[in-house]
Amino acid sequence: MNEPIRVLIVDDILETRENLRKLLQFERGLEVVGEAETGAEAVRRAAALKPDVVIMDINLPDANGLDVTEQIRQRDPAVQVVILSVQEGREYMRRAMKAGAYDYLVKPPPIDELLSAVRGAGQTAHEERARQRETGSFARGGEAGGGEAGRLIAVYSPRGGTGCTFVATNLALALKSPDTAVVLVDAKLQFGDVALVMNVQPRRTFADLAEVEELDPDLLSEVLLPFPKGDIHILAAPLRPEEAEQINPKTVAEVLQHLKSLADYVVVDTTSVLDPVTLSVFDAADVIVVPIGQDLPSIRNARVAIETLLGAGVPKERWILVLNRAVKRSSITPERVRNYFKMPALVVPDDPRVVVSLNKGEPLLLMQRNSPASKGLLQVARTVRERLLQLAEA
Ligand SMILES: Nc1ncnc2c1ncn2[C@@H]1O[C@H](COP(=O)(O)OP(=O)(O)O)[C@@H](O)[C@H]1O
Ligand SMILES: [Mg+2]
């Protein structure tokens, strides 16, 4: 384990903080990343600094260190807390353990005891983080500029076969970074094929969320399938088309709202039918990516669809056009598309590796990040990020 153990010191007395800092900072493998004086500050700093270990005083001016411990660990279960208290006794120790503390030491702790507690706690935190990475659990970073809520990107085309599923799956992977959580939703409730092209066997699907009276966040997290290779989660479409009928648009809206509070980016693959479910996806969407083909019917339908939705109140800056499977020799150039739609179109070239990736069940971005289509997709992801930031600032 060569990563340093990152420590946050919480105590209202400056001298205590300084003494602890002096004691720890010259220890190999330990790094003091910050200090906090109050409970509120401790919660904020823990969220911002992501320490491995918090050394926590019990008597804080605004809160009890045990409550603060609970709050910090609720947000980040990997972080370990070593409590320092002037109170001695079994009962205090028991309460500390109940609050989720790693260890409980009486002030002032003998140096070797403190160091061994911090090192043990740090190792536990590192192991816990490694385990989280493997199972792909959530760690929202707030990167999308949303502050509280995550951002939703719908991928829609009025015509099947233009590459919605291809774009949605790879866009979800492209938006993933170490400190963002991403969920990919298959809202093509009948015949959705996200799970298939990602090569995951859905144990649970959207159908498990139908007919629930009140959406329970625990149930929702259980229905999400981890996709460890890309460190994202998937909400799969029902396995059978008749199950789709039981899911009403209101449920879809609620599910998407919940997912936005769990993840930084929610990417939604949709069906080409403008049905109530698809419309509730648009309602929740911050941007809508529209893949179009290099043929007139595809382009004309996309324009009609966009005009209809502009009329229904989805403003122009929410749309991102993608000319997919583009070949150079076509007379339908990106330039002509731009003139026709009065907005620019990104280009994802036609790429034989896409079929190879589909047949292998491995998303293109994970298989070949340097292929022409991958480069196009990464450009789509950059544009989505920029657009979301612009919309957040506006
Ligand atoms: N950039 C591309 N290059 C080559 N083939 C592509 C590309 N994009 C999509 N395809 C192929 O087009 C077909 C339809 O794509 P898909 O994503 O399933 O469309 P949709 O979800 O809109 O129906 C797939 O077989 C896929 O392999
Ligand atoms: Mg599809």
Side-chain angles (χ1 to χ4, degrees):
M1 196 67 66
N2 344 353
E3 277 175 69
I5 294 168
R6 308 173 72 250
V7 183
L8 172 68
I9 299 170
V10 183
D11 201 299
D12 57 332
I13 298 166
L14 176 66
E15 202 193 322
T16 312
R17 294 199 304 274
E18 279 179 349
N19 286 341
L20 284 169
R21 186 185 270 276
K22 273 186 209 138
L23 209 101
L24 298 174
Q25 72 187 358
F26 295 114
E27 281 299 312
R28 274 192 59 199
L30 299 188
E31 188 186 327
V32 177
V33 294
E35 298 175 11
E37 256 185 89
T38 64
E41 197 182 6
V43 172
R44 271 202 311 278
R45 309 221 82 184
L49 298 168
K50 291 221 156 235
D52 299 308
V53 179
V54 179
I55 299 181
M56 176 79 70
D57 181 23
I58 283 213
N59 297 311
L60 295 169
D62 60 333
N64 180 312
L66 297 181
D67 296 333
V68 181
T69 298
E70 266 180 54
Q71 281 180 50
I72 291 177
R73 297 202 71 244
Q74 212 158 39
R75 286 193 176 197
D76 177 6
V79 65
Q80 302 297 319
V81 180
V82 175
I83 304 269
L84 294 189
S85 166
V86 285
Q87 276 110 358
E88 211 165 336
R90 256 173 204 282
E91 179 54 19
Y92 288 106
M93 173 86 105
R94 199 187 60 77
R95 290 224 302 256
M97 296 305 139
K98 207 164 155 247
Y102 176 85
D103 208 345
Y104 181 97
L105 303 175
V106 177
K107 269 184 174 179
I111 295 175
D112 55 340
E113 249 181 61
L114 177 68
L115 289 178
S116 99
V118 170
R119 286 192 190 285
Q123 187 170 354
T124 303
H126 282 164
E127 284 164 7
E128 194 53 34
R129 293 206 198 286
R131 204 183 59 76
Q132 283 181 351
R133 277 195 292 273
E134 267 164 33
T135 57
S137 57
F138 289 108
R140 277 206 52 192
E143 171 194 289
E148 289 301 304
R151 297 300 187 203
L152 191 139
I153 302 113
V155 183
Y156 167 77
S157 159
R159 218 160 91 123
T162 48
C164 281
T165 304
F166 166 67
V167 170
T169 48
N170 286 286
L171 180 59
L173 295 167
L175 289 171
K176 173 65 198 170
S177 72
D179 42 38
T180 52
V182 177
V183 178
L184 172 61
V185 178
D186 196 346
K188 188 178 179 195
L189 297 180
Q190 280 195 340
F191 305 109
D193 48 9
V194 167
L196 187 74
V197 305
M198 304 286 274
N199 199 18
V200 294
Q201 268 72 49
R203 282 169 290 110
R204 302 292 190 93
T205 73
F206 226 124
D208 292 295
L209 299 171
E211 291 167 10
V212 288
E213 284 292 308
E214 197 160 325
L215 201 59
D216 168 356
D218 288 340
L219 174 65
L220 187 56
S221 347
E222 266 177 46
V223 173
L224 294 176
L225 311 165
F227 182 71
K229 264 191 285 182
D231 198 11
I232 65 171
H233 280 78
I234 298 171
L235 176 54
L239 298 172
R240 308 217 33 90
E242 63 271 18
E243 291 176 326
E245 288 162 29
Q246 298 153 11
I247 304 164
N248 70 43
K250 211 176 124 254
T251 309
V252 174
E254 272 176 41
V255 168
L256 295 178
Q257 216 50 53
H258 267 281
L259 289 177
K260 282 169 92 168
S261 66
L262 280 179
D264 295 280
Y265 297 109
V266 181
V267 179
V268 187
D269 187 13
T270 62
T271 148
S272 51
V273 189
L274 278 183
D275 59 8
V277 165
T278 306
L279 291 177
S280 63
V281 174
F282 288 163
D283 268 347
D286 294 281
V287 295
I288 305 170
V289 175
V290 181
I292 49 179
Q294 241 169 348
D295 57 296
L296 280 181
S298 162
I299 289 181
R300 208 193 72 89
N301 287 341
R303 192 165 97 170
V304 173
I306 291 177
E307 277 168 1
T308 308
L309 289 156
L310 283 173
V314 185
K316 202 162 180 175
E317 50 291 359
R318 295 198 186 266
W319 299 92
I320 296 176
L321 283 180
V322 176
L323 190 57
N324 186 33
R325 306 195 70 161
V327 293
K328 290 242 165 65
R329 58 181 185 278
S330 168
S331 63
I332 297 175
T333 60
E335 200 46 34
R336 278 186 70 194
V337 172
R338 172 200 278 269
N339 291 337
Y340 185 70
F341 283 91
K342 310 254 181 316
M343 56 173 103
L346 299 166
V347 175
V348 176
D350 186 55
D351 189 335
R353 293 169 196 84
V354 175
V355 182
V356 180
S357 98
L358 276 178
N359 293 341
K360 279 179 74 177
E362 186 167 355
L364 184 69
L365 269 190
L366 297 184
M367 194 181 90
Q368 247 177 8
R369 217 174 163 86
N370 281 321
S371 76
S374 288
K375 287 184 184 158
L377 289 162
L378 291 170
Q379 182 59 43
V380 174
R382 275 195 293 277
T383 305
V384 165
R385 273 205 203 93
E386 280 164 19
R387 188 69 66 83
L388 288 171
L389 286 175
Q390 284 164 7
L391 287 166
E393 278 162 16

